[in-house]
Amino acid sequence: MRKFAMAAVGGTLAGILATTYVAEPLLAQEGNREASVYEQLDLFGDIFERIRVQYVEEVDETELIEAAIGGMLSSLDPHSSYLSPDDAANMRVQTRGEFGGLGIEVTQEEGFVKVVSPIDGTPADEAGMEAGDFITHVDGESVLGLALDEAVDLMRGPVGSEIVITVVREGEAEPFDVSIIRDTIKLTAVRARTEDETVVLRLTTFNDQTTPNLESGLAEQLEEAGGIENVNGIVLDLRNNPGGLLTQAIKVADAFLDSGEIVSTRGRNPEDGERFNATPGDLVGGKPIVVLINGGSASASEIVAGALQDHRRAIVVGTKSFGKGSVQTVMPLKGEGAMRLTTARYYTPSGRSIQALGVSPDIVVEQPRRSPNAEAEEDEAAAARRTRSEADLRGSLNNDSLSEDEIRQIEEDRAKAEAAAERREQDYQLAYAIDILKGLSKLEAAD
């Protein structure tokens, strides 16, 4: 019995010792990690002081600190960054819809600046910049190895000044230069128009103007059409829309959904996750929707496309989107600067993340590239459509089986068909989307 008791005590003691020996290294590791952090901070202070005192030229201490902060944030991912007081002020202006520059949304890939998308009606758009272009030089100076903010600073300048950007584009054998005149960028968040019986809503960005512009533009088009019953559907054009405010993406998706989840965000800690749901009310009363996307559709655009696709509220047409599935939070800092930090990933209603994958369209439709002889080819196509028919022959018989009203209707339908053919040559993806809605309306009429 005594031996048993001794054995039991020995076993307990061994257990305590074993626990101590296991736990001690863990505590030591935690302590070592904390000590290591302070050692690294001491190292940073030492390097900072040596640069300040011994560098060959006098340096600005504030710029050194900002560069260090910027380097720390940019090492995390392409979208986290430090915003100086000037940059923070510019960002606040951009979300209101007006700023100076070229009019392109950019990111960084393999050391070069990559164009996410040019913004409609801006100098970059008019100069022919395209989503997917790589910018290698600015005014002859290489951007390879520069941080994204540094490369963007090179592209900034006074309104009215010229900048020459060297571009590498897929399908082009050699890099080429693009000359752009800087201008004040005034964004019209939503442009609304009616093509045939389809309302086309072109969203260029997601800023504070987006939802009010969408609602007013849609209402105006429906009023001109004589009511929602005279419209066969909506095309939501999100091509080359680089995104913007998460709140605006939620509101735009909510405008066409009656219920259900729009998007969810998940951060580092599970309790920080959020879900955003639609509220009752569909601005177009259930009319069919086609969403147009391409490689320049990013972030907020992908939230809208993914939500409407998952709820089977819209047919998504075009090419795969950009694939930015992360959420950035702008945090004010001392001195009127700010920090843009990636704080969460977002997920579509079905629970899929589009990070690096993008939204895949239901129907893949490539936009044909315009050739250098595009205008001549369009003239030839137009001439081909104007072929002679029986009616053009001198002395041909009239069609006596139709009334004048029926003949007029046939001629109007033919004019619409010719306009549609012309639209296919100007914007094939949009024409495809309108044709889908036209076909759906025919089926509904047959029912």
Side-chain angles (χ1 to χ4, degrees):
M1 182 67 181
R2 186 179 175 187
K3 289 182 180 178
F4 179 81
M6 289 294 294
V9 171
T12 304
L13 183 60
I16 292 171
L17 289 173
T19 304
T20 303
Y21 286 140
V22 170
E24 190 173 20
L26 291 176
L27 293 172
Q29 285 175 18
E30 189 64 34
N32 290 341
R33 189 180 298 117
E34 190 170 328
S36 176
V37 169
Y38 286 109
E39 286 174 5
Q40 293 295 317
L41 289 174
D42 286 341
L43 176 62
F44 171 79
D46 184 36
I47 292 172
F48 173 77
E49 186 61 23
R50 286 174 183 265
I51 292 172
R52 193 179 70 83
V53 175
Q54 298 180 0
Y55 186 65
V56 65
E57 294 178 354
E58 189 174 344
V59 294
D60 185 316
E61 289 94 339
T62 302
E63 289 183 0
L64 278 180
I65 295 294
E66 287 186 354
I69 295 171
M72 177 169 57
L73 285 164
S74 63
S75 71
L76 300 173
D77 63 77
H79 308 294
S80 295
S81 63
Y82 170 71
L83 301 172
S84 67
D86 287 343
D87 291 340
N90 288 337
M91 187 208 66
R92 287 189 286 271
V93 171
Q94 286 183 33
T95 60
R96 291 195 296 269
E98 182 175 326
F99 58 97
L102 306 180
I104 48 175
E105 180 80 8
V106 295
T107 186
Q108 198 162 37
E109 188 173 303
E110 298 177 1
F112 291 108
V113 176
K114 184 178 182 180
V115 176
V116 176
S117 67
I119 301 169
D120 283 2
T122 62
D125 179 46
E126 292 169 0
M129 296 294 292
E130 296 182 4
D133 284 348
F134 282 92
I135 297 172
T136 61
H137 294 75
V138 174
D139 287 331
E141 183 176 344
S142 174
V143 299
L144 182 62
L146 294 181
L148 183 60
D149 287 344
E150 293 174 316
V152 169
D153 284 341
L154 282 180
M155 291 186 273
R156 289 177 177 152
V159 170
S161 61
E162 182 182 16
I163 180 174
V164 177
I165 292 175
T166 304
V167 174
V168 172
R169 178 177 294 167
E170 185 180 354
E172 297 289 338
E174 298 291 336
F176 58 93
D177 290 340
V178 177
S179 174
I180 305 175
I181 304 298
R182 298 179 179 95
D183 199 357
T184 299
I185 310 301
K186 294 183 179 180
L187 293 180
T188 302
V190 181
R191 294 186 178 94
R193 69 183 191 276
T194 300
E195 300 257 355
D196 292 344
E197 298 171 356
T198 301
V199 175
V200 179
L201 299 172
R202 169 74 181 127
L203 277 66
T204 59
T205 187
F206 286 85
N207 61 23
D208 289 337
Q209 303 174 20
T210 302
T211 303
N213 284 178
L214 183 143
E215 291 174 348
S216 61
L218 177 60
E220 183 179 327
Q221 296 303 310
L222 293 180
E223 184 179 353
E224 290 181 5
I228 188 68
E229 62 276 4
N230 297 321
V231 168
N232 63 19
I234 306 295
V235 171
L236 205 58
D237 189 352
L238 300 178
R239 292 173 298 175
N240 293 331
N241 183 323
L245 300 177
L246 173 65
T247 52
Q248 289 295 313
I250 292 167
K251 287 180 179 179
V252 169
D254 192 7
F256 303 106
L257 292 172
D258 271 321
S259 62
E261 183 180 302
I262 293 172
V263 65
S264 63
T265 63
R266 302 177 201 171
R268 181 173 178 176
N269 299 315
E271 60 269 20
D272 293 336
E274 290 186 273
R275 293 182 183 275
F276 301 91
N277 296 314
T279 55
D282 180 345
L283 287 183
V284 293
K287 286 283 184 177
I289 299 172
V290 173
V291 176
L292 281 176
I293 61 170
N294 65 4
S297 306
S299 191
S301 296
E302 295 172 295
I303 289 174
V304 173
L308 296 181
Q309 184 182 53
D310 279 3
H311 283 287
R312 298 188 178 182
R313 180 65 188 87
I315 301 170
V316 179
V317 172
T319 55
K320 185 174 74 70
S321 63
F322 185 75
K324 181 182 176 293
S326 58
V327 178
Q328 281 69 47
T329 302
V330 178
M331 305 173 182
L333 301 173
K334 294 178 181 178
E336 297 186 352
M339 172 174 64
R340 184 193 289 117
L341 187 66
T342 300
T343 54
R345 289 182 172 88
Y346 68 76
Y347 296 80
T348 69
S350 64
R352 59 188 168 124
S353 169
I354 63 155
Q355 177 60 28
L357 295 176
V359 174
S360 296
D362 300 306
I363 303 173
V364 176
V365 179
E366 298 278 354
Q367 183 81 308
R369 288 186 178 273
R370 290 180 67 85
S371 68
N373 302 317
E375 289 187 10
E377 291 171 1
E378 286 175 6
D379 291 341
E380 289 178 9
R385 288 197 299 270
R386 291 192 297 268
T387 53
R388 290 172 61 83
S389 70
E390 170 72 15
D392 296 318
L393 299 179
R394 182 179 299 174
S396 62
L397 297 175
N398 293 328
N399 188 315
D400 60 359
S401 66
L402 300 174
S403 67
E404 289 185 7
D405 288 341
E406 288 172 327
I407 292 173
R408 189 181 303 111
Q409 183 62 50
I410 290 171
E411 290 173 348
E412 288 176 1
D413 290 343
R414 183 184 297 123
K416 288 181 180 179
E418 289 177 355
E422 198 169 313
R423 183 166 52 237
R424 275 190 285 274
E425 290 165 10
Q426 294 172 351
D427 189 340
Y428 184 75
Q429 289 174 323
L430 176 61
Y432 198 103
I434 292 173
D435 286 345
I436 288 174
L437 293 173
K438 192 181 296 183
L440 290 174
S441 68
K442 296 288 186 185
L443 289 175
E444 288 177 3
D447 291 342

